[in-house]
Amino acid sequence: MTYCLAIRVDDGLVFASDSRTHAGVDYASVYSKMHRFELHNDRHIVLLGAGSLASTQAVVNFIRRDLENPGALCSLNSVSYLFDAATYVGEVSVRVQEQHWPSMQRSGFSAEASFILGGQIQGQPHEIYLIYPQGNYITASVETPYLQIGETKYGKPILDRMAAPGTSLEDAARCALVSLDSTMRSNISVGPPLEIEIYRQDSFATSHYLSLDTSSPFYSALKSQWSEGIRNAFSMLPRFDWE
Amino acid sequence: MTYCLAIRVDDGLVFASDSRTHAGVDYASVYSKMHRFELHNDRHIVLLGAGSLASTQAVVNFIRRDLENPGALCSLNSVSYLFDAATYVGEVSVRVQEQHWPSMQRSGFSAEASFILGGQIQGQPHEIYLIYPQGNYITASVETPYLQIGETKYGKPILDRMAAPGTSLEDAARCALVSLDSTMRSNISVGPPLEIEIYRQDSFATSHYLSLDTSSPFYSALKSQWSEGIRNAFSMLPRFDWE
């Protein structure tokens, strides 16, 4: 399994992902699911991938090949709008999945992959897109300023409570980390290290990037502070009539 | 959808359930999913049901018929152990599902139902069981002192953090309500009123029963206190190096 998310706030974007993959419970590995690209100075794009590792790796390989090939019909450097980039990644993804679909289906496996693509192209707003396995996509809204792929449920309540357009980038990053932490506690197929990238709008470059293992001081402090905070919140809940 | 849960603590049991059922998104109704029975004075048993409403209703009807029929081969009054009660409910459930399986399958629907059964029979400990659609069942453990059916994921993180054998019955009840509240925020097919029953061990009777609508003062206070507590907890999280 996998859990990746992106939050869009007024000041910019936050991307976060776990790093655990597995082929059955008896073969778990560590792979980064956050893909960052060397692009022209007028753009910054990050891609998070979930689903079949073979599919997500192939998609990233095709994207990188198109970037290096001046004759490519389309690439992350040639698109003019971020939704063009989403269309392009969706098309690459569908092509990759179709290539292996018959053999995967015979073996009872799924070649499906889904992605979150986010970033900014100069002159346009910063945006995030969720690209479905079918190649179509949605963006976030003011009311729901985040997108998730993979194991989305355990970490959703904190996003619904805390993620809003006015949230600072750092608070959005903390929110993403709490969301990942809640998911890791409940689903062992989501695991560290946690990667987090913060993108400040109009910077066209990574503002901050962190890879946090469970032993990293910041993540340890965040985990224990959050546990204590939840316990405090719980202790303040109203008493029943008979107490 | 449905969300029901039970927590077993040293002092007794807490049962909690939502009340929303739906046949498609265009037909939502309110049905209690918490079934309490008039039993002999040496026992107290509560049943929570999820899945096909036709199946769960039929199972409860058969259980009630067996209780009224002195010639019944088995009933909640005749079993000597709570796991016998779980076996019995599992058998009734499988029978009910099998009866309608072919016609349900032809229409593309599922007749599956799952249950949480909990309570106490005199001379034995208080227990909770999760009865799968296949009729087999598991009980809770010291490490995982709760069971859930239906939409289980959104409400699991708070249970993992707060539910423990030493938790008071009232704290376990608050924990169940927070778990239900988080689920309702994220899944509109889980809805009020929320029912909650507290059973104190060796009492063989309901200690407290509440049906809480969103407008009820206690539930409103709990919701707003929890929101405020989460915000406070969030504001105490550690800052990044660059802040």
Side-chain angles (χ1 to χ4, degrees):
Chain A
M1 202 77 186
T2 283
Y3 177 38
C4 301
L5 73 157
I7 306 175
R8 184 197 187 282
V9 297
D10 293 341
D11 289 346
L13 306 172
V14 168
F15 302 91
S17 55
D18 85 309
S19 303
R20 187 164 291 168
T21 69
H22 66 105
V25 289
D26 52 354
Y27 195 85
S29 312
V30 174
Y31 280 88
S32 170
K33 298 160 189 180
M34 181 180 287
H35 307 284
R36 303 146 83 213
F37 306 93
E38 289 286 324
L39 303 178
H40 294 163
N41 289 338
D42 69 339
R43 60 193 62 210
H44 183 76
I45 296 177
V46 174
L47 189 70
L48 309 174
S52 159
L53 183 62
S55 294
T56 58
Q57 285 191 349
V59 168
V60 172
N61 286 339
F62 280 114
I63 291 172
R64 292 198 193 281
R65 193 180 68 177
D66 286 344
L67 280 172
E68 290 179 8
N69 177 9
L73 286 176
C74 186
S75 82
L76 292 184
N77 268 333
S78 74
V79 294
S80 304
Y81 296 88
L82 211 64
F83 75 81
D84 283 337
T87 308
Y88 160 70
V89 171
E91 283 167 1
V92 173
S93 171
V94 167
R95 208 164 62 230
V96 163
Q97 292 173 61
E98 279 174 354
Q99 190 185 350
H100 299 288
W101 201 269
S103 57
M104 290 290 278
Q105 203 169 30
R106 272 197 300 278
S107 306
F109 294 115
S110 167
E112 284 198 344
S114 48
F115 296 90
I116 291 172
L117 178 144
Q120 188 178 15
I121 296 174
Q122 201 156 36
Q124 291 164 44
H126 53 291
E127 294 177 300
I128 50 176
Y129 286 92
L130 191 166
I131 303 163
Y132 294 109
Q134 294 75 22
N136 56 345
Y137 47 83
I138 58 168
T139 187
S141 69
V142 171
E143 296 75 16
T144 308
Y146 62 84
L147 296 170
Q148 306 170 287
I149 51 176
E151 174 59 276
T152 59
K153 291 190 176 184
Y154 298 117
K156 186 169 181 287
I158 188 66
L159 295 171
D160 285 331
R161 286 186 195 277
M162 300 308 303
T167 306
S168 75
L169 278 170
E170 283 76 14
D171 275 346
R174 277 184 278 270
C175 185
L177 287 172
V178 169
S179 180
L180 270 159
D181 181 51
S182 296
T183 307
M184 286 201 301
R185 285 178 71 100
S186 289
N187 186 333
I188 55 163
S189 73
V190 175
L194 306 180
E195 287 182 275
I196 194 145
E197 154 154 348
I198 295 179
Y199 170 74
R200 189 167 296 280
Q201 68 159 336
D202 298 334
S203 67
F204 305 105
T206 300
S207 294
H208 298 283
Y209 168 81
L210 296 172
S211 176
L212 299 168
D213 219 322
T214 42
S215 61
S216 79
F218 180 79
Y219 183 53
S220 299
L222 182 125
K223 267 167 73 92
S224 66
Q225 271 297 142
W226 184 246
S227 276
E228 195 185 316
I230 292 285
R231 285 183 183 279
N232 283 342
F234 197 82
S235 70
M236 305 290 278
L237 290 179
R239 310 287 114 174
F240 291 101
D241 288 347
W242 63 85
E243 282 183 279
Chain B
M1 204 76 186
T2 283
Y3 178 38
C4 301
L5 73 157
I7 306 174
R8 184 196 186 281
V9 296
D10 293 340
D11 290 346
L13 306 171
V14 169
F15 302 91
S17 55
D18 84 309
S19 304
R20 187 163 291 167
T21 70
H22 65 105
V25 290
D26 54 352
Y27 195 83
S29 313
V30 174
Y31 280 88
S32 171
K33 298 160 190 181
M34 181 179 288
H35 306 284
R36 302 146 83 213
F37 304 94
E38 289 287 324
L39 302 177
H40 295 163
N41 289 338
D42 69 338
R43 61 192 62 209
H44 182 76
I45 296 177
V46 174
L47 189 71
L48 309 173
S52 159
L53 184 61
S55 294
T56 57
Q57 285 191 348
V59 168
V60 171
N61 286 338
F62 280 115
I63 291 172
R64 292 199 192 281
R65 193 180 69 178
D66 286 343
L67 280 172
E68 289 178 9
N69 176 9
L73 286 176
C74 186
S75 83
L76 292 185
N77 269 332
S78 74
V79 294
S80 302
Y81 296 88
L82 211 65
F83 76 79
D84 284 337
T87 307
Y88 160 70
V89 171
E91 284 168 359
V92 172
S93 172
V94 167
R95 209 164 63 230
V96 162
Q97 292 173 62
E98 279 175 354
Q99 190 186 350
H100 299 289
W101 201 269
S103 56
M104 290 289 278
Q105 203 169 31
R106 272 198 300 278
S107 306
F109 294 114
S110 166
E112 284 198 343
S114 48
F115 296 90
I116 291 172
L117 178 144
Q120 189 179 15
I121 296 174
Q122 201 156 36
Q124 290 164 45
H126 52 290
E127 294 177 301
I128 51 177
Y129 287 92
L130 191 166
I131 303 163
Y132 293 109
Q134 294 75 20
N136 55 345
Y137 46 83
I138 58 168
T139 188
S141 69
V142 170
E143 295 75 16
T144 308
Y146 63 84
L147 296 170
Q148 305 171 286
I149 51 177
E151 174 59 277
T152 58
K153 291 190 176 183
Y154 298 117
K156 186 168 180 288
I158 187 66
L159 295 172
D160 284 332
R161 285 185 196 277
M162 300 308 304
T167 306
S168 75
L169 279 169
E170 283 75 15
D171 275 345
R174 278 184 277 270
C175 184
L177 287 172
V178 170
S179 180
L180 271 158
D181 182 50
S182 295
T183 307
M184 288 202 298
R185 284 177 72 101
S186 289
N187 185 333
I188 56 163
S189 73
V190 175
L194 306 180
E195 288 183 275
I196 195 145
E197 154 154 346
I198 296 178
Y199 170 74
R200 189 166 296 280
Q201 68 160 337
D202 299 332
S203 67
F204 305 105
T206 300
S207 294
H208 298 283
Y209 168 82
L210 296 172
S211 176
L212 300 168
D213 218 322
T214 42
S215 61
S216 79
F218 179 79
Y219 183 53
S220 300
L222 182 126
K223 266 167 73 91
S224 65
Q225 272 297 145
W226 183 246
S227 277
E228 196 185 314
I230 292 285
R231 283 180 184 280
N232 284 342
F234 196 82
S235 69
M236 306 290 279
L237 290 179
R239 309 288 115 172
F240 291 100
D241 288 348
W242 63 84
E243 282 183 278

